[in-house]
Amino acid sequence: MSKEESKKLFIQTLGCQMNDTDSQHIIAELEKYKDYKTTDNMEDADLIIINTCSVREKPVQKLFSEIGQFNAKKKDGAKIGVCGCTASHLGKDIIKRAPYVDFVVGARNISKIKDIIDVKGAVEISIENDDSTYEFARSETSMYKTSVNISIGCDKECTYCIVPATRGDEISIPPEMIVQQIQKDVDKGAVEVMLLGQNVNSYGRRFSDKRAKTTFTKLLQEVSKIEGLRRIRFTSPHPLHMDDEFIVEFSSNPKISKCIHMPLQSGSTSILKAMKRGYTKEWFLNRAEKIRRLVPGVRITTDIIVGFPGETQEDFNDTMDVIEKVKFDQIFNFKYSPRPNTAALALKDQEVDDEIAGARLIKVIDLHKEHLVEHMNSYVGKTVEILVENLKSDGEVCGFTDNWCQVFIKGSDELLGKFVKVKINDASRTALKGEVISE
């Protein structure tokens, strides 16, 4: 088949940034080995893939709703595949419930995608599979941002989380493979990298080849040596592993973006223990205070779950106390929902009344809004540097500061991929606006 006759791939990605990177791997593998080209029009596609997430509420219902709609609208002969965490969780049951699905590939089995698509009814979902030394194809398209997985799986046993059951035990990707992959992307124009893992700062504890342990701090130091790479981001670190060595590297390395995600989950030490998070309220506050002190202008983001089984009013007050003291720059807040294959299912008799949990969620949101107004207004009149990333409507482009503030400016596609200085003249709770003063 000629390039002009390449088959068309439509892929829908749900969930986290690791899923985004997995989707990029799928696209590149199928481009290289199976001559597929992506399309934004599902009805034109020869292959439709849904890359699923099982972390949030009702993913199963959403999955079958989506694939039902795709099946009704797809062109004759088009294949449908399901990948990702929900695929890992449900496996062959997906095909039993939706026989028009052609194949299922779990989150730990993405390297098999080029072979699976030609096997009707194939199901590959083993969480023992090891992709850590597999060299995925990379897009040949020039890009100024890239993302790289530094580990697969998760060794934590957080009682609310399904990820270890869908992505398996944690294995680190060899540092030389990570550096080599980033170097290739930098050679094609990348100036920023996002390092991805379920717990990035537990990196280096286990490798497939049984090599000596290393640390995330050492990996950051190696990555920062890459010439032409200007920004290093990472997600998500775990508060338990934010030791002093890591915090000093974060604060002093000029290439590391000064925005850090610190998933709190709860401010109550007793709830944190029930969640098996491994740290206390006091430890979290100590780490956050040290980061704020060492890194002027740092932005700290977090995840918070309200209504975890057994959460009392006093527990919730502790969460509000941490929010008040840290003044997070962004909060991803959720009301607890039970997930299959998690230890918290055993706490059903301690479930918090839904109305109470909902009211607590509103209080978290309202307090955070107050802090956002204060944070964002502080930028007005200041000059920041942004990497321009997206072309918007009405003659605007947008980009992000080093500490991950979104900024809108007047401009065209000529600015994409460039660093520009911007004077901020307006702010909302979610973004800034300004004017370019130099490039």
Side-chain angles (χ1 to χ4, degrees):
M1 180 177 287
S2 69
K3 292 294 181 182
E4 290 75 15
E5 298 172 321
S6 294
K7 295 165 287 188
K8 294 181 180 179
L9 165 67
F10 175 86
I11 186 164
Q12 181 182 66
T13 306
L14 309 174
C16 68
Q17 287 176 287
M18 292 195 76
N19 268 18
D20 288 334
T21 299
D22 287 345
S23 288
Q24 292 305 311
H25 286 159
I26 290 170
I27 291 168
E29 289 281 301
L30 295 181
E31 281 183 348
K32 180 176 181 178
Y33 297 107
K34 293 295 180 177
D35 200 31
Y36 277 93
K37 298 296 180 185
T38 56
T39 177
D40 293 328
N41 187 349
M42 182 274 294
E43 296 179 24
D44 286 343
D46 300 287
L47 174 60
I48 300 164
I49 292 177
I50 307 173
N51 194 9
T52 62
C53 174
S54 59
V55 172
R56 304 304 174 215
E57 193 174 6
K58 299 181 180 178
V60 176
Q61 294 91 319
K62 292 178 181 178
L63 168 62
F64 286 102
S65 174
E66 288 284 344
I67 58 178
Q69 293 178 45
F70 287 160
N71 184 57
K73 296 179 180 179
K74 72 180 180 71
K75 72 180 185 182
D76 289 343
K79 298 177 183 178
I80 296 178
V82 178
C83 300
C85 286
T86 306
S88 299
H89 165 48
L90 294 179
K92 62 185 178 182
D93 288 342
I94 293 174
I95 296 178
K96 286 182 180 179
R97 290 180 58 175
Y100 44 80
V101 171
D102 292 275
F103 60 87
V104 176
V105 180
R108 189 90 172 209
N109 299 265
I110 299 300
S111 64
K112 301 178 182 179
I113 189 68
K114 61 183 179 294
D115 303 313
I116 290 302
I117 63 169
D118 295 324
V119 183
K120 174 68 177 176
V123 177
E124 290 284 352
I125 58 169
S126 171
I127 61 172
E128 304 299 323
N129 187 55
D130 182 2
D131 275 350
S132 65
T133 57
Y134 181 82
E135 187 172 349
F136 283 95
R138 299 291 284 178
S139 172
E140 294 303 316
T141 305
S142 177
M143 50 189 169
Y144 42 88
K145 292 178 60 179
T146 187
S147 60
V148 176
N149 289 339
I150 67 169
S151 62
I152 59 176
C154 181
D155 281 349
K156 298 301 180 188
E157 298 178 345
C158 301
T159 57
Y160 55 81
C161 185
I162 193 176
V163 167
T166 61
R167 289 188 176 266
D169 293 339
E170 182 176 317
I171 301 177
S172 295
I173 294 170
E176 65 273 14
M177 286 188 66
I178 296 169
V179 171
Q180 182 183 50
Q181 186 172 321
I182 298 170
Q183 183 66 67
K184 288 179 180 179
D185 291 338
V186 169
D187 291 343
K188 290 187 290 188
V191 292
E192 176 180 305
V193 66
M194 173 69 82
L195 306 177
L196 297 172
Q198 298 300 325
N199 294 299
V200 290
N201 51 348
S202 63
Y203 174 83
R205 297 185 174 198
R206 184 190 302 123
F207 294 95
S208 292
D209 59 8
K210 313 299 182 184
R211 69 177 66 194
K213 294 181 180 180
T214 184
T215 66
F216 182 54
T217 298
K218 290 178 181 177
L219 178 66
L220 288 171
Q221 292 167 348
E222 288 302 308
V223 170
S224 67
K225 294 176 184 177
I226 298 174
E227 292 187 14
L229 183 67
R230 292 184 57 175
R231 278 187 187 169
I232 302 169
R233 302 191 190 278
F234 52 83
T235 196
S236 288
H238 195 294
L240 179 63
H241 303 302
M242 291 185 177
D243 58 24
D244 287 349
E245 181 186 38
F246 165 76
I247 291 176
V248 168
E249 183 67 25
F250 173 77
S251 66
S252 61
N253 188 325
K255 287 192 176 183
I256 296 176
S257 167
K258 299 307 182 273
C259 177
I260 190 165
H261 190 62
M262 295 181 65
L264 171 64
Q265 308 303 358
S266 173
S268 162
T269 295
S270 64
I271 294 298
L272 288 170
K273 184 176 181 180
M275 290 178 166
K276 295 188 75 170
R277 291 291 290 168
Y279 53 87
T280 63
K281 173 185 178 181
E282 289 72 26
W283 169 261
F284 187 96
L285 287 172
N286 175 275
R287 300 291 85 185
E289 186 278 329
K290 182 161 189 170
I291 289 170
R292 289 266 191 229
R293 175 164 44 85
L294 291 179
V295 191
V298 69
R299 296 183 79 239
I300 300 178
T301 66
T302 198
D303 299 330
I304 289 175
I305 298 171
V306 300
F308 186 81
E311 182 186 72
T312 65
Q313 183 60 46
E314 183 179 358
D315 293 323
F316 177 68
N317 291 345
D318 278 337
T319 295
M320 295 292 281
D321 184 51
V322 175
I323 295 172
E324 186 59 64
K325 287 175 177 172
V326 178
K327 291 183 168 56
F328 297 104
D329 295 86
Q330 188 174 21
I331 298 177
F332 300 94
N333 41 70
F334 308 96
K335 186 167 61 173
Y336 170 78
S337 63
R339 307 300 311 120
N341 299 321
T342 60
L345 288 176
L347 304 176
K348 190 173 180 62
D349 61 338
Q350 300 178 49
E351 284 185 359
V352 176
D353 179 81
D354 190 65
E355 189 173 329
I356 292 174
R360 289 174 181 173
L361 183 62
I362 290 171
K363 288 183 179 179
V364 168
I365 293 170
D366 287 345
L367 179 58
H368 179 48
K369 284 180 179 178
E370 294 179 17
H371 295 159
L372 276 179
V373 171
E374 179 183 342
H375 287 316
M376 301 302 277
N377 284 345
S378 70
Y379 285 93
V380 175
K382 293 182 178 178
T383 298
V384 299
E385 183 179 61
I386 69 169
L387 170 61
V388 181
E389 301 181 15
N390 295 299
L391 183 65
K392 313 303 284 187
S393 59
D394 301 323
E396 282 191 329
V397 293
C398 77
F400 287 86
T401 62
D402 176 71
N403 66 351
W404 204 238
C405 270
Q406 189 175 34
V407 180
F408 289 84
I409 57 174
K410 292 292 184 182
S412 66
D413 57 3
E414 293 181 354
L415 290 177
L416 292 176
K418 294 183 178 180
F419 287 90
V420 296
K421 299 284 188 182
V422 177
K423 183 175 181 180
I424 303 302
N425 51 39
D426 194 19
S428 68
R429 286 200 301 263
T430 58
L432 304 170
K433 281 195 172 187
E435 56 185 351
V436 177
I437 58 174
S438 71
E439 295 183 26

